[in-house]
């Protein structure tokens, strides 16, 4: 199964930018991933899909200050002008088909703190 | 707008059963694949099961295969998860989620608020 690795935490100052990383296992380095945001006590929310070529497709209502990019097996979520309500857990995930069986794997999540 | 409302959670003893429901509105339910995703207390997300828009194909995570069954009733706009042989490690908040597509697992475009399942003696 693919493995997605995320650092457990990240922080930045209010108004600054922050770049989150999701690393795919090497044999799955060309996979597309999705980013989700989960504010404290809330359900996850789809943010965007990021492909291996760096192109990305955002969900409805996601502001322009959220951007996606890629480098090798790494997929990034960058957001600028950090706001207090950006404090959340950010999950990456990817879908796959193995031996005809469909599945989805999530990373362990990165908790973002706004200083 | 899309609304997904889960119900049916509760406290159950190990080895017991529960059936979760998810009432969908605000979109054409029969046009989209649907999922169950769970989150144990203080932990990350775990995909549980996926069903095609017409119910013809179902996929379950290895951790629940043979114990849980996803199903849907398109006439009632409702998604179900039948959970049997429950274990303490199944304790989690169970989310219903709508896929972007009908038959391919793409991603979780919309999520419900979740229903809590606690497996404990």
């Amino acid at each position: 199964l693919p493995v997605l690795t995320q650092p457990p935490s990240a922080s930045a100052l209010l108004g600054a930018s922050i770049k989150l990383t999701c690393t795919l296992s090497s044999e799955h380095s060309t996979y597309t991933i999705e980013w989700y945001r989960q504010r404290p006590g809330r359900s996850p929310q789809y943010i965007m899909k990021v492909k291996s070529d760096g192109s990305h497709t955002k969900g409805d209502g996601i502001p322009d200050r959220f951007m996606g990019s890629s480098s090798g097996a790494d997929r990034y979520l960058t957001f600028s002008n950090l706001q207090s309500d950006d404090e959340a857990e950010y999950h990456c995930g990817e879908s796959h088909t193995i031996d005809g069986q469909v599945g989805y794997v999530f990373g362990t999540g990165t908790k973002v703190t706004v200083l | 707008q899309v609304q997904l409302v889960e119900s049916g959670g509760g406290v159950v003893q190990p080895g017991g059963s529960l059936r979760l429901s998810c009432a969908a509105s605000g979109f054409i339910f029969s046009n989209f694949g649907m999922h169950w995703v769970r989150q144990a207390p203080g932990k990350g997300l775990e995909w549980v099961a996926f069903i095609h828009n017409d119910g013809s194909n179902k996929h379950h995570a290895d951790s629940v295969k043979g114990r849980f069954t996803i199903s849907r009733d398109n006439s009632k706009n409702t998604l179900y998860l039948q959970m049997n042989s429950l274990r303490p490690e199944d304790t989690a908040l169970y989310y219903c989620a709508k896929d972007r597509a009908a038959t391919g697992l793409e991603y979780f475009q919309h999520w419900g608020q979740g229903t809590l399942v606690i497996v404990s003696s």
Side-chain angles (χ1 to χ4, degrees):
Chain A
L1 277 179
V3 175
L4 304 178
T5 302
Q6 297 181 255
S9 63
S11 61
L13 294 172
L14 189 70
S17 295
I18 193 167
K19 187 174 186 177
L20 306 183
T21 304
C22 174
T23 302
L24 289 151
S25 43
S26 57
E27 61 271 32
H28 305 104
S29 62
T30 61
Y31 280 31
T32 295
I33 66 102
E34 291 80 39
W35 286 102
Y36 303 87
R37 173 176 64 192
Q38 186 175 25
R39 294 182 170 120
R42 304 287 297 275
S43 304
Q45 176 191 15
Y46 171 72
I47 302 176
M48 69 174 65
K49 174 187 289 284
V50 182
K51 295 184 176 181
S52 59
D53 63 1
S55 61
H56 56 275
T57 308
K58 296 181 200 176
D60 295 341
I62 301 299
D64 292 344
R65 62 189 183 89
F66 285 79
M67 300 287 291
S69 58
S70 291
S71 177
D74 291 335
R75 306 287 179 268
Y76 305 108
L77 174 66
T78 303
F79 39 112
S80 58
N81 189 19
L82 209 56
Q83 308 292 306
S84 57
D85 66 355
D86 291 329
E87 278 208 346
E89 192 87 15
Y90 289 80
H91 308 271
C92 62
E94 63 81 37
S95 62
H96 54 269
T97 302
I98 299 174
D99 295 332
Q101 286 298 305
V102 160
Y104 197 93
V105 172
F106 288 97
T108 48
T110 297
K111 183 173 182 178
V112 167
T113 301
V114 179
L115 303 173
Chain B
Q1 73 279 21
V2 172
Q3 281 204 325
L4 301 169
V5 180
E6 302 92 337
S7 61
V11 180
V12 60
Q13 291 190 340
S17 297
L18 273 180
R19 189 175 84 153
L20 307 184
S21 299
C22 171
S25 60
F27 65 102
I28 302 173
F29 184 68
S30 59
N31 282 0
F32 295 93
M34 296 293 295
H35 303 265
W36 289 99
V37 178
R38 68 185 180 183
Q39 187 170 33
K43 301 295 184 182
L45 300 169
E46 181 187 14
W47 169 78
V48 173
F50 166 58
I51 186 167
H52 285 198
N53 65 313
D54 61 0
S56 60
N57 274 280
K58 306 174 185 182
H59 302 270
H60 299 82
D62 288 345
S63 58
V64 306
K65 204 167 286 185
R67 300 187 300 123
F68 291 11
T69 303
I70 190 172
S71 64
R72 64 192 296 161
D73 186 335
N74 285 348
S75 68
K76 296 182 179 178
N77 289 347
T78 303
L79 176 72
Y80 301 102
L81 185 68
Q82 178 66 44
M83 304 188 297
N84 299 330
S85 303
L86 282 160
R87 304 167 180 167
E89 56 265 35
D90 296 319
T91 293
L93 188 61
Y94 284 74
Y95 293 105
C96 161
K98 170 188 170 293
D99 201 286
R100 194 194 79 85
T103 58
L105 196 171
E106 289 211 17
Y107 59 86
F108 313 106
Q109 190 179 34
H110 298 279
W111 299 67
Q113 293 304 305
T115 186
L116 182 62
V117 172
I118 298 173
V119 184
S120 173
S121 53

